[in-house]
Amino acid sequence: MKFYSTNKKAPLASFQEAVFKGLPEDNGLYMPENIPVLPSSFFDSLEVMTFSEIAFEVIKSFSEDEIPVNALKEIVQNAFNFETEVVHLHDQVYALELFHGPTLAFKDYGARFMARVMSYFLQEKAKEAHILVATSGDTGSAVAQGFYKMPGIQVTLLYPKGKVSKIQERQLTTVGENVTALEVEGTFDDCQKLVKTAFVDKELNEKMNLSSANSINIARLIPQSLYYFHAFRLVAAQNEKVLFSTPSGNFGNLSGGLLAQKMGLPINHFVAATNINKIVPEYLKTGLFEPKPSISTISNAMDVGNPSNFVRILDLFDGDYEAIKKHISGIYFDDESTKNVIKEVARKYDYVMCPHTAIGYGALVNKMEEPGSKPGVFLGTASPAKFGDVVNPVIGREVDIPKRLLEIVNRPKNAISMNADFSSFKEYLLS
Ligand SMILES: *Cc1c(COP(=O)(O)O)cnc(C)c1O
């Protein structure tokens, strides 16, 4: 399978090239040249397949002969070695819980798969790579955990001092082994600038094989289609189609769902659920895509004013606004209504959600008021335990904290302090 750039001005890339390049030269995003429609034999046996078996079949149709069957089986088993749970809440409303991986958020799916794929290709070539990641929180911890102990790969994470939550900081700074955290005296933009400068620095690139691991990598997108298949087979009766509501910021998760639909999964409609960074809901209303500076909210992983995967959505529909509107509805929630949703659902169903997940739920039940829109599934993108400071006061008690999160919080922080000028960063990398 070849991958093209959405800007159509870069050469086609193999799966391996697309994974290591991340971004094509023309600054578009990679997309599969033809999205494989899975055979009816796949859908016939979907109900009895394990998550790993689904993952294997779906991913194989993109990676084809670039990863041999046995290697791919091992990669998916290791990457998705945690549960993906579907919980029935009420009236054909289901929660698809994507937060049982090591960092308690759905980004584990993409990050863990990408890490194993990169490591596999590097070992084949007996090469090593050094991954640089600037993070403002969640992405970095998923990447750090994903690459932990991966052969042939060093990881350096840069995060802005004092600008990530305490739990996030622990998740970034307690990994160890091949993962090093740099606490940068500056903002997230400063961190990003250091990374970008490193990628174009001649001396660094001569001396080391630098690579990125950002959220638009094709190896992170593809695994985000898997759980739509998994949920579908657990909630849909014969010949039924499913409505999915996806809490969205950068729109990678929703793009994964659209991929699943194109591969033949009977999804009748998507809800793009956002906070007041409602760029895509506005687009769906007016036809105008107008990026804006992002606004801080309690669902901070969705505070995105210029969603980068939007070009992938346009591309999947050849830019046809009417077609996009037919498949996707936009619904947004402000912080006040998000808190109300968390409170109501905790009270009525004894089910506690993180702020992002609550928006997914709220948007889903709104949409389900329309006839013919059942069953409905909302994606649970993070564990409420990661957002205790928001959730506890709203539900009037302390949300349960999973054991593995408690362990991390109690581990000592291990980070190297660094100022935001490039020369010290470069010196660190070369040392
Ligand atoms: C990243 C993230 C989102 C947004 O996902 P996108 O793929 O960027 O749309 C939603 N919820 C949580 C908890 C996240 O970490």
Side-chain angles (χ1 to χ4, degrees):
M1 168 94 54
K2 294 285 185 201
F3 294 80
Y4 64 89
S5 163
T6 51
N7 281 347
K8 315 257 163 69
K9 294 197 179 77
L12 293 176
S14 66
F15 182 59
Q16 178 172 177
E17 285 163 348
V19 168
F20 282 99
K21 274 203 170 140
L23 273 182
E25 299 86 324
D26 63 359
N27 281 318
L29 298 188
Y30 280 118
M31 286 296 277
E33 200 173 24
N34 36 52
I35 295 170
V37 175
L38 295 167
S40 54
S41 58
F42 169 82
F43 290 101
D44 290 343
S45 42
L46 191 55
E47 202 177 328
V48 296
M49 289 166 84
T50 63
F51 192 93
S52 289
E53 285 166 346
I54 297 173
F56 173 77
E57 293 298 335
V58 169
I59 294 169
K60 183 172 62 122
S61 64
F62 292 100
S63 62
E64 295 180 337
D65 54 2
E66 288 184 60
I67 306 177
V69 167
N70 283 335
L72 183 60
K73 278 191 177 151
E74 201 179 310
I75 288 171
V76 299
Q77 269 163 15
N78 292 329
F80 313 118
N81 64 351
F82 50 89
E83 293 301 315
T84 303
E85 285 178 28
V86 174
V87 177
H88 182 225
L89 278 197
H90 61 90
D91 308 304
Q92 294 198 68
V93 172
Y94 296 85
L96 169 56
E97 297 186 346
L98 305 175
F99 47 76
H100 300 291
T103 70
L104 313 183
F106 85 91
K107 293 194 173 69
D108 284 331
Y109 289 84
R112 289 178 66 80
F113 176 71
M114 176 176 63
R116 278 152 189 81
V117 165
M118 283 186 166
S119 181
Y120 167 78
F121 284 134
L122 286 167
Q123 283 179 289
E124 284 302 289
K125 295 186 287 190
K127 276 180 79 171
E128 299 204 335
H130 195 129
I131 311 265
L132 302 179
V133 192
T135 180
S136 54
D138 265 355
T139 303
S141 60
V143 168
Q145 280 292 339
F147 280 101
Y148 176 62
K149 285 193 177 172
M150 281 296 109
I153 302 185
Q154 285 293 323
V155 179
T156 300
L157 297 168
L158 295 82
Y159 72 96
K161 180 177 179 175
K163 299 203 172 59
V164 301
S165 78
K166 191 162 164 64
I167 290 183
Q168 282 174 335
E169 182 171 50
R170 291 295 137 143
Q171 286 183 316
L172 294 170
T173 59
T174 60
V175 182
E177 297 271 347
N178 58 331
V179 178
T180 310
L182 300 185
E183 181 178 23
V184 176
E185 207 65 69
T187 61
F188 171 63
D189 289 339
D190 292 327
C191 297
Q192 204 148 29
K193 203 165 144 213
L194 289 175
V195 169
K196 284 192 174 155
T197 313
F199 282 130
V200 294
D201 186 274
K202 202 160 163 260
E203 187 188 0
L204 279 179
N205 282 282
E206 274 165 13
K207 293 196 170 144
M208 53 209 299
N209 179 21
L210 294 177
S211 196
S212 76
N214 50 33
S215 66
I216 45 73
N217 195 298
I218 193 77
R220 288 181 62 176
L221 182 71
I222 293 169
Q224 288 169 7
S225 68
L226 302 173
Y227 33 73
Y228 291 89
F229 291 93
H230 173 73
F232 171 84
R233 48 84 179 261
L234 296 177
V235 310
Q238 195 106 47
N239 298 323
E240 228 171 20
K241 287 190 171 188
V242 176
L243 169 68
F244 280 97
S245 172
T246 308
S248 297
N250 225 357
F251 281 81
N253 213 359
L254 189 82
S255 301
L258 291 168
L259 218 52
Q261 188 186 41
K262 287 246 165 172
M263 297 179 87
L265 190 68
I267 295 174
N268 72 21
H269 198 77
F270 291 94
V271 184
T274 72
N275 58 31
I276 52 165
N277 293 283
K278 54 182 176 11
I279 311 302
V280 171
E282 285 295 329
Y283 165 78
L284 292 163
K285 201 166 99 187
T286 64
L288 299 174
F289 181 71
E290 295 183 315
K292 301 207 167 73
S294 69
I295 305 166
S296 296
T297 74
I298 56 170
S299 46
N300 59 359
M302 312 200 308
D303 294 349
V304 181
N306 188 5
S308 36
N309 283 291
F310 182 73
V311 297
R312 283 194 163 125
I313 297 178
L314 278 182
D315 195 77
L316 282 166
F317 292 99
D318 289 326
D320 181 345
Y321 170 63
E322 291 303 323
I324 295 177
K325 247 171 66 156
K326 216 176 114 209
H327 283 89
I328 311 173
S329 299
I331 299 181
Y332 66 91
F333 281 71
D334 63 18
D335 283 355
E336 226 24 65
S337 359
T338 307
K339 287 183 189 168
N340 285 337
V341 172
I342 296 175
K343 193 169 175 173
E344 278 300 288
V345 173
R347 189 177 63 81
K348 275 194 184 153
Y349 308 110
D350 194 22
Y351 188 76
V352 182
M353 299 178 292
C354 87
H356 316 80
T357 306
I359 290 176
Y361 169 88
L364 179 72
V365 292
N366 276 10
K367 184 70 188 173
M368 282 174 79
E369 284 168 10
E370 292 174 20
S373 51
K374 288 176 184 174
V377 176
F378 64 98
L379 276 60
T381 50
S383 159
K386 288 182 87 172
F387 296 89
D389 28 345
V390 176
V391 173
N392 293 344
V394 172
I395 61 171
R397 63 182 166 86
E398 302 239 323
V399 53
D400 300 330
I401 301 195
K403 236 214 267 64
R404 59 190 189 287
L405 191 56
L406 274 180
E407 274 167 23
I408 288 173
V409 175
N410 292 329
R411 256 184 248 160
K413 160 178 161 183
N414 195 349
I416 299 174
S417 299
M418 181 138 316
N419 56 37
D421 69 58
F422 182 67
S423 58
S424 12
F425 180 51
K426 181 169 172 179
E427 201 176 302
Y428 156 78
L429 285 175
L430 289 173
S431 69

